[in-house]
Amino acid sequence: KPHPKPPRPFNLLSLGVDPFHADMAAVDVLVVGGGGREHAIAVKLRESPKVQHIFCAPGNGGTAAEDRMTNLAISDSDVEGLVRVAQEKKVALVFVGPEAPLCAGLADACAAAGIPCFGP
């Protein structure tokens, strides 16, 4: 059997955000999940000069200690609450680590609200 093509790497350009546009303001991102994978994702996203702040829902002790990261007291299974907080915080992207919120319809709910969403 031939091996499947590897997934295309994620980039903000695929979301319609031009990271090379000089006057583009830095954006806030919501990372959904509370494990080590989500912590690592948040740290890598924060390295981008185009990311101003990371909100983590619910986050963990590691993300609570990081600069430019804020944990939010919201479950990663609360789809309506996650969309609401993404709108309130005016995030440019919702990045979902665990698969359960995606299975629960988070990506569809974000799309319906006009919020870009990315997950595994």
Side-chain angles (χ1 to χ4, degrees):
K1 269 182 150 176
H3 287 78
K5 286 185 177 180
R8 298 177 80 191
F10 167 76
N11 64 59
L12 291 176
L13 199 56
S14 67
L15 298 172
V17 177
D18 182 357
F20 304 109
H21 199 298
D23 62 354
M24 182 186 139
V27 299
D28 294 340
V29 176
L30 173 62
V31 174
V32 176
R37 170 174 49 180
E38 291 78 29
H39 185 176
I41 289 167
V43 167
K44 292 309 281 184
L45 285 169
R46 186 187 58 193
E47 290 177 6
S48 169
K50 298 300 180 183
V51 174
Q52 177 177 316
H53 195 84
I54 310 285
F55 295 99
C56 302
N60 58 42
T63 55
E66 294 281 357
D67 186 40
R68 294 178 29 223
M69 287 187 205
T70 303
N71 285 354
L72 303 174
I74 183 166
S75 170
D76 61 8
S77 62
D78 182 357
V79 172
E80 289 179 17
L82 290 166
V83 172
R84 184 173 52 254
V85 79
Q87 291 170 322
E88 289 170 1
K89 302 293 185 187
K90 296 179 173 56
V91 300
L93 171 68
V94 174
F95 195 113
V96 186
E99 290 146 8
L102 295 172
C103 293
L106 181 56
D108 293 333
C110 286
I115 304 166
C117 181
F118 178 85

